[in-house]
């Protein structure tokens, strides 16, 4: 691998882009125009860049039943772009970024209409929440070379060439497959003892978990791997859990909603069945211990969760990783400038890292001399290793545009100990 471009510090760390082309190593720099001229650098631009400002769109549910989630994502997004504009001086210290919030209300037709109305002023879609919204936007844009942030971390989105997955988190597929492989190591942090089971919510999220489960268990004996799906509307899980109990499942993976996980844990107690539970972080919420503990409070809930481990877990908000220190600094710096005080939760982290991922693509596009939509597409394809500074080390896109990100197991924690409700256990391990 030869270093093609090196650019400014992002998240306090050097981001390096690599290519396998046999060419001499070069470093490209862009000179910021002096205050005596309004001439921009000779870099091709087009749709979505007007008077030196880059416009991206954030299509999020800012009203309706998912409003709280959408607003948290937007807050993370706004905090990150404020940092880029005010501390770094914009992309390449030249181009400020304006992120336009568009309220999808989690409705596909609304999302399509919003994109049609704003497409002519937008370079890329830097934040989306929800697989249905992602699908609607992909249908609306068709074959156009427009980068669209995936609304969920499913590896299956890689089949759409214009999707940009988040470099801050492993995909659902890799969370499950990586945990199974790591759990079979000689000295695992948490052993994946067979028979292995998976309960998953049908749809893009759960189907991606199923892909990882099947990928990691495709050579085990019949009866040593059992999977059961359930509709998103399910509220009762005694039947699938009884299936796992009857199959002798010792390690049970869960990819469902946090509400479903709450019901599953309570049902497991009634069944007097205590397998090791390994759940995706999208299935876990910091409020679960208190909800599960009821009158016994959070402490009682944590006792009931002592067999639960989280994969795809978030870095501790309180940790000393440089990326998280910077996030806290940015939050303190820009919180007062937002319409309402920010309540940091996992959705905030998703929005923040979606913006960081789009930022490194924009920087690579500028370094490559092309800030058009096609230039961003090409920049995503040649992007090399990127370390966002959250402790997992460098991540990258593979040839299918799926992020290769290290993972770590976490345990449920008291809200007073962890803003995200989980604490890492052991060290990071490779998901591939």
């Amino acid at each position: 691998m030869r270093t093609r471009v090196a650019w400014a510090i992002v998240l306090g760390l050097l981001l390096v882009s690599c290519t396998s082309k046999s060419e001499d190593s070069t470093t490209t720099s862009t000179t910021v125009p002096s205050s005596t001229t309004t001439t921009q650098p000779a870099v091709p631009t087009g749709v979505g860049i007007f008077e030196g400002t880059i416009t991206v769109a954030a299509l999020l549910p800012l009203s309706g039943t998912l409003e709280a989630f959408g607003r948290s994502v937007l807050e993370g997004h706004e905090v990150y772009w404020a940092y880029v504009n005010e501390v770094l001086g914009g992309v390449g210290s030249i181009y400020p970024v304006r992120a336009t919030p568009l309220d999808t209300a989690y409705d596909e037709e609304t999302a399509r209409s919003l994109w049609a109305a704003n497409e002519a002023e937008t370079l890329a879609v830097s934040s989306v929440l929800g697989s249905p919204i992602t699908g609607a936007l992909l249908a609306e844009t068709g074959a156009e070379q427009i980068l669209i942030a995936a609304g969920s971390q499913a590896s299956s989105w890689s089949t759409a060439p214009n999707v940009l997955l988040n470099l801050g988190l492993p995909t659902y597929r890799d969370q499950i497959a990586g945990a199974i492989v790591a759990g079979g190591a000689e000295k695992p942090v948490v052993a994946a003892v067979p028979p292995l089971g998976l309960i998953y919510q049908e749809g893009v999220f759960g189907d991606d978990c199923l892909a990882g489960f099947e990928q990691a268990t495709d050579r085990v004996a019949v009866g040593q791997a059992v999977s059961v799906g359930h509709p998103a509307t399910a509220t009762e899980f005694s039947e699938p859990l009884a299936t796992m109990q009857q199959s002798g499942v010792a390690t049970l993976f869960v990819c469902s909603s946090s509400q479903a996980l709450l019901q599953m844990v309570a049902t497991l107690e009634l069944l007097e069945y205590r397998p090791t539970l390994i759940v995706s972080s999208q299935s876990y919420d910091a409020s679960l211990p208190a909800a599960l503990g009821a009158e016994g409070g959070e402490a009682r809930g944590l006792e009931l969760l002592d067999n639960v481990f989280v994969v795809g877990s978030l870095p501790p908000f309180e940790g000393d990783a440089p990326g998280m220190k910077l996030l806290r600094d940015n939050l303190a710096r820009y919180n007062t400038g937002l319409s309402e005080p920010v309540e940091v939760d996992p959705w905030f982290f998703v929005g923040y890292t979606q913006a960081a991922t789009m930022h490194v693509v924009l920087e690579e596009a500028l370094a490559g001399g092309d800030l058009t939509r096609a230039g961003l597409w090409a920049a995503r394809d040649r992007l090399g290793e990127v370390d966002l500074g959250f402790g997992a080390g460098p991540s990258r896109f593979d040839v299918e545009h799926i992020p290769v990100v290290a993972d770590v197991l976490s345990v449920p924690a008291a809200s007073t100990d962890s803003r995200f409700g989980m604490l890492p256990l052991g060290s990071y391990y490779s998901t591939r």
Side-chain angles (χ1 to χ4, degrees):
M1 301 287 282
R2 293 178 182 268
T3 301
R4 182 186 178 101
V5 176
W7 61 80
I9 297 295
V10 176
L11 284 175
L13 300 169
L14 188 63
L15 306 180
V16 181
S17 178
C18 302
T19 178
S20 60
K21 294 180 181 179
S22 56
E23 59 187 6
D24 294 335
S25 296
T26 59
T27 299
T28 303
S29 61
T30 304
T31 303
V32 181
S34 69
S35 59
T36 59
T37 177
T38 58
T39 303
Q40 293 288 347
V43 174
T45 60
V47 174
I49 301 181
F50 181 68
E51 294 184 346
T53 297
I54 296 170
T55 296
V56 295
L59 283 94
L60 302 167
L62 304 177
S63 63
T65 56
L66 298 182
E67 178 181 354
F69 300 147
R71 291 202 175 277
S72 286
V73 173
L74 180 60
E75 288 165 350
H77 219 57
E78 289 177 334
V79 165
Y80 185 86
W81 288 124
Y83 157 68
V84 169
N85 291 336
E86 297 182 28
V87 175
L88 303 182
V91 174
S93 300
I94 301 170
Y95 296 92
V97 177
R98 177 176 59 230
T100 304
L102 301 173
D103 179 14
T104 67
Y106 210 66
D107 178 76
E108 296 169 49
E109 287 307 310
T110 299
R112 294 178 72 141
S113 298
L114 285 169
W115 176 248
N118 289 272
E119 187 267 345
E121 292 82 36
T122 306
L123 177 60
V125 178
S126 59
S127 184
V128 177
L129 185 61
S131 292
I133 306 305
T134 306
L137 292 175
L138 293 175
E140 186 67 24
T141 56
E144 294 182 69
Q145 285 188 313
I146 301 171
L147 280 188
I148 298 173
S152 70
Q153 201 67 353
S155 66
S156 56
W157 288 125
S158 67
T159 58
N162 46 348
V163 160
L164 182 68
L165 284 158
N166 191 333
L167 280 170
L169 297 166
T171 63
Y172 310 135
R173 182 199 71 182
D174 292 342
Q175 289 175 27
I176 301 303
I180 292 173
V181 173
E186 184 176 349
K187 294 182 179 180
V189 173
V190 176
V193 178
L196 306 177
L198 169 70
I199 294 181
Y200 65 96
Q201 178 178 298
E202 295 162 350
V204 174
F205 165 40
D207 291 348
D208 210 53
C209 290
L210 177 62
F213 185 76
E214 292 179 340
Q215 172 186 303
T217 61
D218 64 350
R219 297 179 182 175
V220 302
V222 175
Q224 294 292 292
V226 183
S227 59
V228 179
H230 67 81
T233 55
T235 57
E236 209 281 324
F237 301 95
S238 58
E239 185 174 337
L241 289 171
T243 297
M244 296 297 168
Q245 186 177 31
Q246 292 162 11
S247 300
V249 167
T251 307
L252 178 58
F253 293 83
V254 176
C255 287
S256 299
S257 68
S258 58
Q259 294 90 341
L261 177 61
L262 176 65
Q263 293 300 319
M264 288 183 201
V265 173
T267 303
L268 286 169
E269 287 296 306
L270 293 175
L271 293 173
E272 297 183 345
Y273 173 38
R274 294 279 289 177
T276 296
L277 282 179
I278 300 179
V279 308
S280 71
S281 60
Q282 289 71 25
S283 306
Y284 189 79
D285 185 87
S287 65
L288 275 178
L292 190 63
E295 293 182 2
E298 193 174 54
R300 173 56 181 157
L302 288 170
E303 290 177 5
L304 296 174
L305 293 169
D306 65 0
N307 62 328
V308 173
F309 303 90
V310 184
V311 291
S313 48
L314 306 185
F317 177 78
E318 302 81 4
D320 58 2
M324 194 56 78
K325 287 182 177 179
L326 181 60
L327 186 154
R328 293 196 301 269
D329 289 345
N330 288 338
L331 183 61
R333 184 181 295 118
Y334 303 116
N335 199 358
T336 56
L338 302 178
S339 56
E340 296 180 3
V342 172
E343 180 60 40
V344 175
D345 59 17
W347 300 105
F348 177 97
F349 186 78
V350 167
Y352 188 92
T353 49
Q354 279 184 331
T357 300
M358 183 62 74
H359 180 207
V360 297
V361 174
L362 286 166
E363 292 284 357
E364 172 64 24
L366 177 59
D370 188 350
L371 269 177
T372 65
R373 286 175 170 174
L376 263 66
W377 187 294
R380 184 273 317 270
D381 291 350
R382 67 174 181 264
L383 195 69
E385 290 190 335
V386 175
D387 192 345
L388 297 180
F390 294 113
S395 57
R396 61 180 173 83
F397 291 120
D398 66 14
V399 295
E400 296 178 326
H401 307 141
I402 301 173
V404 180
V405 183
D407 204 352
V408 66
L409 281 153
S410 290
V411 293
S415 57
T416 52
D417 296 329
S418 171
R419 183 75 63 90
F420 296 146
M422 56 186 83
L423 291 175
L425 185 70
S427 57
Y428 281 89
Y429 57 86
S430 173
T431 57
R432 301 286 185 92

